[in-house]
């Protein structure tokens, strides 16, 4: 019987699926991630780990888990997992593509609308008794309808955002590394260089994976290039934005606002300067948080575990161990 360590309670049928496949499953019971020591203990005797974005999986953890054969991350992003170190150790690393892009695109749009139309700010004001009369000048914001949207990264999520933007009559620009003329044509998207996207967009939404190439992609120069009225939306990873530069840009009025589902660190400490700005909306990394999507993500991670423990290649690998560990 193989042992699977699951680092938090997860929705859907993932745990049943693992048990039905004959595995012994230990689920970390807390509402918070296991601390480093508990994570080491959890994986020490495990054959597989089902991890979350909150679990750092580096070479040291892999060393502490000599029997581990797969780290199945319940996320499409896997910057918390050192996939190369895992491959070198003979451990598969997997993710959950293809199931969360629509849900994350919904949130990107929700954030865009919330920031533009002062949804959060006016709700807070209403609850505090601020609704005294209909005001011709209160809570004014830019119109998303008919505006220009700049999508940075035209992967699954970026494309899903582009489809939504059409319903809002937006002009959609995209900055992407790889030209895909047919996809762009199909979406009605104009591929432009990144600096041009920053200059022309009323809203800039980030959909790139986090890594050395995208760390701090939005820095002082990029904020300076944006329109003073433009709003930044980030549902990718906090590290794609240089947060100090963002704070400076907001202080200087260099941009119109920001809506962030991801920050550095997570959670963002309550005394962080980003909380000072009324034109900033912050949500707690909930891009994929719909009932159905989170269940699908967990089940997909379970399928990856089940495949590897059955001696097969996982359906969603993000690395390729030259010599995969076997039972
Ligand atoms: C992901 O899948 O990478 C999200 O950030 C977690 O839902």
């Amino acid at each position: 019987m193989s042992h699977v360590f699951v680092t938090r309670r997860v929705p859907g049928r993932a745990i049943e699926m693992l048990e039905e496949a004959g595995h012994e499953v230990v689920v970390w019971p807390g509402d918070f991630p296991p601390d480093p020591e508990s994570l080491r203990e959890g994986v020490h005797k495990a054959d597989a780990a089902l991890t979350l974005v909150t679990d750092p999986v580096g070479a040291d953890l892999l060393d502490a888990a000599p029997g581990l054969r797969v780290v199945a991350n319940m996320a499409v992003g896997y910057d918390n997992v050192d996939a190369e170190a895992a491959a070198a150790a003979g451990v598969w690393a997997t993710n959950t593509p293809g199931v969360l892009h629509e849900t994350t695109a919904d949130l990107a749009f929700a954030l865009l609308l919330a920031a533009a139309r002062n949804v959060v700010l006016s709700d807070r004001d209403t609850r505090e008794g601020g609704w005294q009369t209909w005001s011709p000048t209160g809570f004014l914001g830019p119109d998303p309808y008919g505006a220009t949207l700049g999508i940075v990264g035209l992967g699954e999520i970026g494309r899903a955002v582009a489809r939504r933007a059409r319903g809002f009559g937006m002009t959609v620009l995209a900055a992407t590394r790889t030209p895909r003329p047919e996809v762009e044509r199909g979406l009605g998207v104009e591929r432009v260089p990144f600096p041009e996207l920053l200059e022309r967009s009323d809203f800039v939404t980030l959909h790139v994976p986090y890594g050395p190439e995208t760390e701090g992609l939005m820095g002082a120069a990029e904020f300076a290039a944006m329109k003073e009225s433009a709003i930044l939306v980030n549902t990718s990873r906090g590290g794609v934005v240089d947060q100090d530069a963002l704070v400076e840009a907001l202080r200087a009025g260099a941009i119109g606002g920001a809506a962030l589902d991801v920050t550095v660190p997570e959670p963002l400490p309550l005394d962080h300067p980003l909380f000072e700005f009324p034109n900033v909306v912050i949500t707690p990394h909930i891009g994929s948080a719909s009932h159905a999507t989170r269940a699908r993500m967990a089940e997909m991670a379970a399928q990856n575990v089940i495949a590897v423990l059955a001696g097969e290649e996982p359906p969603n690998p993000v690395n390729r161990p030259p010599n995969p560990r076997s039972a």
Side-chain angles (χ1 to χ4, degrees):
M1 180 187 287
S2 298
H3 299 267
V4 183
F5 182 58
V6 180
T7 63
R8 218 88 68 81
R9 285 192 300 270
V10 291
R13 292 198 68 257
I15 305 300
E16 283 114 293
M17 286 166 59
L18 291 165
E19 287 172 345
E20 282 161 16
H23 305 307
E24 186 184 80
V25 183
V26 173
V27 180
W28 173 251
D31 288 331
F32 289 89
D35 57 80
E37 196 40 48
S38 306
L39 186 56
R40 282 169 81 85
E41 270 171 33
V43 296
H44 179 58
K45 290 210 174 107
D47 301 284
L50 194 159
T51 55
L52 311 183
V53 290
T54 43
D55 304 312
V57 181
D60 51 336
L61 188 77
L62 297 162
D63 284 348
L68 200 66
R69 292 162 62 192
V70 56
V71 174
N73 210 40
M74 188 189 135
V76 70
Y78 52 94
D79 46 293
N80 59 306
V81 178
D82 187 338
E84 275 178 31
V91 179
W92 289 98
T94 68
N95 71 340
T96 63
V99 293
L100 54 85
H101 52 287
E102 300 294 359
T103 303
T104 305
D106 282 343
L107 188 83
F109 240 89
L111 287 175
L112 183 157
L113 295 170
R117 299 301 313 278
N118 292 304
V119 174
V120 177
L121 192 65
S122 61
D123 172 88
R124 204 178 300 145
D125 183 74
T126 302
R127 287 165 198 266
E128 287 165 1
W131 188 3
Q132 302 289 330
T133 179
W134 183 86
S135 165
T137 53
F139 298 113
L140 305 184
D143 273 314
Y145 190 86
T148 297
L149 174 66
I151 302 179
V152 183
L154 207 56
E156 281 183 331
I157 302 174
R159 296 198 295 269
V161 170
R163 288 194 295 273
R164 283 154 180 74
R166 292 176 76 165
F168 281 79
M170 293 175 120
T171 299
V172 186
L173 311 177
T176 65
R177 245 190 342 200
T178 324
R180 286 195 220 91
E182 268 179 37
V183 172
E184 292 148 23
R185 235 189 331 273
L187 290 167
V189 162
E190 182 188 352
R191 182 167 179 264
V192 294
F194 184 43
E196 183 179 336
L197 177 143
L198 294 172
E199 271 173 37
R200 287 175 57 193
S201 297
D202 300 303
F203 299 91
V204 173
T205 183
L206 305 178
H207 300 289
V208 289
Y210 174 65
E213 286 174 24
T214 56
E215 179 167 6
L217 180 74
M218 292 299 300
E222 287 69 31
F223 293 123
M226 284 169 69
K227 294 183 185 176
E228 283 184 6
S229 55
I231 290 174
L232 174 74
V233 178
N234 190 10
T235 53
S236 62
R237 285 291 183 269
V240 175
V241 173
D242 174 342
Q243 267 176 201
D244 295 337
L246 174 59
V247 168
E248 283 316 309
L250 288 160
R251 276 208 181 110
I255 64 170
L260 312 170
D261 185 48
V262 284
T263 58
V264 180
E266 291 181 8
L268 195 64
L270 281 179
D271 60 358
H272 193 280
L274 278 171
F275 283 112
E276 289 166 19
F277 300 100
N279 51 346
V280 172
V281 175
I282 301 175
T283 50
H285 201 147
I286 56 169
S288 60
S290 75
H291 295 294
T293 293
R294 284 280 169 87
R296 271 192 228 117
M297 290 163 70
E299 288 159 10
M300 200 168 185
Q303 276 158 354
N304 280 288
V305 168
I306 290 167
V308 173
L309 296 184
E312 295 160 14
E313 284 198 6
N316 312 106
V318 297
N319 71 355
R320 190 152 287 279
N323 299 303
R325 290 177 182 170
S326 55

